[in-house]
């Protein structure tokens, strides 16, 4: 920690007479390495100090300090944002991992979730009651970061964005006040939090609406040779166009990993895989999945009955922490022939050994809300299309790989809505990334930001500047 920051911090605590319930870490302390590690190994940022708060009151102490002393403030939930926005270079990072409680109220179908929770904490706790909310499909991702940017997953087609299921938050705003925001109280703040939460404060509790799901669902992975890409991609379009809401199917073109569940002769070879989730009535699974089953001779087929919580962690090993990642994504409304042949050709010519190109299947309930129901918008999206590169630290072709991903994204771009998901942004999104993220909701969102964070304390994120 720089000595100036340390001195100012000590004075601040004395002046407030405040004692933190949580802990303060600096380089060399036990736990420091974990606290400053994020998922994308490409991120090179080191905070001067990490505070692990134990309560909203702790958070308020740190927020006031950062505001008064002009210290850069980062907030770490699960540390999975690709741009490493959890870490404040030479500033303070609030590592929320000490606030990881989940309380489920099955009668009210609500879950009260601490800001340090990972997806698996919530899925496991809610599944004990056969309930779930909309979360993503890699269980180590942070609930707060995912939800405050929108949040999508296998259940999106049934229940909308994650933030459509957010009932209330407790949040510490830039003035150091602990507020409760919902549709009735601090309703504009709550509106903004639903898609731009990282820009408006430190959320210290999230309350979610739950739905009956599982605990057993029907799903898993199935894959075919990439040589059959034309057939599989067209079938994917037909399947997802006709799919009921209870069915979500991701499509991923990748090289098969050398995993025990992949037949040895397919290790390293190109495949087209589908990740399937049927979360409806178990009796309807066979009929819903018949068009997937009609695609004969898969190279692997792991689709069957399994616990929903297991499905939510099935892809955990695919993108391990510490590798270098560079992604580009967009939303699409249709899978037209031009888009399908473009992604096929891109994957056929992709020089990155560990790349994934494919689609997340959303739509459904997402589009049932007005565009301005929460800042998140993008309710016309039926798919997310992504070009994802991964390589190990020290990769000599890293620059060329990044260029390739950017060029590939440019070829896909004409088929997209031109809009962008804040949770997938690398930070080089072009000229007006906030307009691309929030579209017609942007002007209202800037008013909310200006009212609650006029000096842009919360700027270690995909930043939405307040009005001057
Ligand atoms: C492997 C992988 C799989 C993914 N799968 C999905 C998916 O299925 N669906 C999906 O929608 N997204 C997915 N994402 C994207 C994910 O939603 C974002 O990376 C998200 O930002 C991760 O949240 P986090 O808390 O782990 O990240 P962090 O890096 O800790 O935080 C991300 C941002 O949120 C802010 N933030 C964190 N906690 C708080 C808080 N308490 N209050 C205010 N702001 C806070 C931080 O300041 C930071 O700017 C995935 C990402 C990865 C790497």
């Amino acid at each position: 920690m720089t000595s100036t920051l340390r001195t100012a911090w000590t004075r601040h605590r004395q002046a407030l007479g405040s004692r933190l319930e949580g802990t303060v870490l600096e380089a060399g302390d036990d736990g420091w390495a974990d606290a400053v590690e994020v998922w994308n190994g490409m991120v090179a940022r080191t905070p001067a100090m990490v505070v692990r708060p134990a309560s909203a009151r702790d958070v308020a102490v740190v927020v006031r300090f950062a505001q008064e002393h002009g210290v850069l403030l980062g907030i770490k939930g699960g540390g999975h944002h690709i741009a490493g926005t959890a870490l404040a270079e030479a500033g303070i990072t609030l590592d929320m991992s000490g606030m990881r409680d989940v309380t489920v109220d099955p009668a009210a179908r609500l879950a009260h979730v601490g800001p340090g929770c990972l997806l698996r904490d919530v899925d496991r706790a809610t599944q004990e009651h056969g309930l779930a909310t909309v979360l993503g499909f890699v269980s180590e991702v942070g609930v707060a970061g995912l939800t405050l940017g929108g949040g999508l997953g296998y259940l999106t087609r049934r229940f909308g964005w994650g933030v459509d299921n957010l009932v209330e938050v407790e949040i510490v705003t830039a003035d150091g006040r602990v507020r409760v925001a919902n549709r009735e109280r601090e309703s504009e703040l709550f509106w903004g939090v639903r898609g731009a939460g990282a820009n408006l404060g430190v959320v210290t509790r999230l309350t979610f609406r739950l739905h009956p799901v599982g605990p057993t669902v029907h799903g898993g992975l199935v894959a075919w040779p990439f040589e059959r890409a034309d057939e599989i991609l067209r079938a994917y379009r037909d399947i997802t166009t006709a799919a009921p809401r209870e069915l979500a199917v991701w499509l991923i073109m990748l090289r098969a990993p050398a995993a025990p569940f992949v037949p040895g002769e397919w290790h390293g070879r190109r495949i087209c895989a589908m990740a399937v989730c049927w979360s409806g009535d178990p009796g309807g699974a066979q009929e819903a999945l018949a068009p997937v089953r009609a695609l004969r001779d898969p190279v692997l087929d792991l689709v069957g009955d399994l616990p929903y919580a297991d499905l939510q962690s099935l892809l955990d090993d695919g993108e391990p922490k510490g590798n270098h990642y560079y992604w580009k994504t967009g939303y699409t409304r249709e899978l037209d022939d031009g888009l399908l042949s473009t992604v096929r050709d891109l994957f056929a010519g992709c020089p990155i050994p560990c790349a994934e190109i494919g689609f997340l299947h959303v739509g459904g309930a997402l589009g049932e809300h007005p565009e301005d129901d929460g800042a998140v918008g993008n309710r016309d999206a039926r798919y997310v299309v992504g070009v994802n590169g991964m390589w190990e630290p020290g990769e000599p072709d890293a620059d060329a790989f990044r260029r390739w991903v950017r060029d590939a994204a440019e070829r896909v771009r004409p088929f997209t809505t031109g809009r962008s998901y804040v949770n997938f942004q690398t930070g080089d999104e072009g000229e007006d990334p906030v307009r691309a993220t929030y579209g017609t909701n942007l002007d209202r969102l800037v008013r909310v930001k200006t009212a609650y964070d006029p000096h842009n304390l919360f700027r270690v994120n995909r930043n939405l500047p307040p009005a001057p």
Side-chain angles (χ1 to χ4, degrees):
M1 193 190 321
T2 65
S3 57
T4 341
L5 181 58
R6 185 206 294 261
T7 313
W9 172 250
T10 310
R11 278 206 204 112
H12 175 78
R13 283 177 62 176
Q14 283 164 352
L16 287 172
S18 63
R19 287 202 14 236
L20 282 185
E21 295 169 70
T23 47
V24 177
L25 300 175
E26 49 188 299
D29 287 346
D30 276 354
W32 174 258
D34 275 351
V36 298
E37 187 186 27
V38 291
W39 167 78
N40 189 353
M42 204 188 289
V43 172
R45 274 196 215 142
T46 315
M49 181 172 120
V50 170
V51 180
R52 277 203 181 127
S55 63
R57 191 176 160 279
D58 279 1
V59 171
V61 170
V62 175
V63 164
R64 281 197 208 106
F65 173 73
Q67 185 73 282
E68 281 164 24
H69 294 268
V71 176
L72 207 56
L73 184 65
I75 310 158
K76 184 179 177 195
H80 268 65
H81 197 287
I82 187 159
T85 50
L87 301 180
E89 174 66 27
I92 297 179
T93 283
L94 275 166
D95 169 8
M96 309 303 283
S97 61
M99 297 174 70
R100 213 170 149 179
D101 289 345
V102 183
T103 312
V104 180
D105 179 344
R109 290 198 178 156
L110 293 174
H112 308 285
V113 174
C117 284
L118 307 184
L119 305 193
R120 64 167 176 261
D121 301 328
V122 179
D123 277 330
R124 283 179 191 162
T126 58
Q127 279 291 280
E128 282 179 22
H129 307 277
L131 298 169
T133 194
V134 175
L135 296 173
F137 53 91
V138 170
S139 77
E140 290 168 8
V141 171
V143 176
L146 177 131
T147 304
L148 299 176
L152 57 85
Y154 293 128
L155 301 181
T156 291
R157 293 175 44 70
R158 295 180 67 186
F159 310 119
W161 282 111
V163 289
D164 294 336
N165 300 278
L166 194 61
V167 175
E168 185 173 280
V169 293
E170 180 186 76
I171 180 169
V172 180
T173 43
D175 53 7
R177 279 180 57 191
V178 182
R179 302 173 194 249
V180 171
N182 55 40
R183 284 183 189 256
E184 284 80 42
R185 258 169 97 174
E186 306 271 10
S187 57
E188 277 303 282
L189 177 61
F190 188 62
W191 178 87
V193 159
R194 294 176 56 224
N199 267 285
L200 296 172
V202 185
V203 170
T204 47
R205 175 178 49 78
L206 304 99
T207 298
F208 289 97
R209 184 178 308 113
L210 303 174
H211 310 273
V213 171
T216 299
V217 294
H218 196 79
L221 284 174
V222 53
W224 300 266
F226 176 69
E227 288 67 27
R228 288 170 59 191
D230 282 337
E231 173 200 355
I232 303 300
L233 284 165
R234 277 197 305 270
Y236 178 69
R237 173 172 58 200
D238 295 344
I239 291 163
T240 52
T241 303
R245 300 259 168 109
E246 295 86 348
L247 181 63
V249 186
W250 294 173
L251 182 131
I252 313 151
M253 293 177 287
L254 74 165
R255 285 183 186 272
F261 59 83
V262 179
E265 69 273 23
W266 280 95
H267 290 180
R269 288 170 65 186
R270 290 186 167 96
I271 55 171
C272 292
M274 290 184 195
V276 177
C277 174
W278 167 262
S279 62
D281 174 10
Q286 293 309 327
E287 188 187 335
L289 267 70
V292 178
R293 295 282 175 221
L295 292 163
R296 303 253 167 233
D297 304 321
V299 300
L300 67 92
D301 183 352
L302 305 171
V303 175
D305 287 342
L306 79 172
Y308 174 71
D310 289 0
L311 183 65
Q312 286 287 80
S313 56
L314 204 66
L315 302 180
D316 280 8
D317 295 338
E319 296 178 316
K321 200 183 237 187
N323 274 347
H324 288 196
Y325 295 92
Y326 188 73
W327 294 349
K328 290 287 159 198
T329 65
Y331 300 107
T332 66
R333 296 185 199 100
E334 306 291 338
L335 300 181
D336 67 32
D337 288 343
L339 175 58
L340 296 185
S341 57
T342 301
V343 294
R344 176 204 61 203
D345 292 351
L346 284 170
F347 191 65
C350 178
I352 308 171
C354 284
E356 294 181 357
I357 300 183
F359 301 101
L360 309 182
H361 177 201
V362 289
L366 202 68
E368 275 175 354
H369 299 241
E371 182 69 8
D372 65 353
D373 184 7
V376 61
N378 292 294
R379 294 186 178 276
D380 57 344
R382 291 189 49 231
Y383 303 89
V384 175
V385 52
V387 181
N388 298 358
M390 164 175 94
W391 48 88
E392 290 186 357
E395 164 61 53
D397 290 328
D399 286 345
F401 288 173
R402 265 193 298 271
R403 262 197 313 278
W404 189 88
V405 172
R406 273 198 295 273
D407 292 348
E410 280 310 304
R411 284 182 54 193
V412 169
R413 194 175 159 73
F415 302 100
T416 70
T417 63
R419 301 281 300 282
S420 172
Y421 182 27
V422 68
N423 282 1
F424 291 157
Q425 291 174 357
T426 48
D428 55 357
E429 267 68 35
E431 278 181 17
D432 196 354
V434 285
R435 179 68 66 185
T437 307
Y438 298 108
T440 51
N441 289 334
L442 181 61
D443 296 342
R444 180 173 171 190
L445 187 53
V446 170
R447 287 196 291 277
V448 179
K449 170 79 176 178
T450 310
Y452 284 93
D453 185 17
H455 305 296
N456 207 6
L457 175 67
F458 300 108
R459 62 183 179 280
V460 183
N461 44 39
R462 300 267 51 84
N463 194 229
L464 167 81

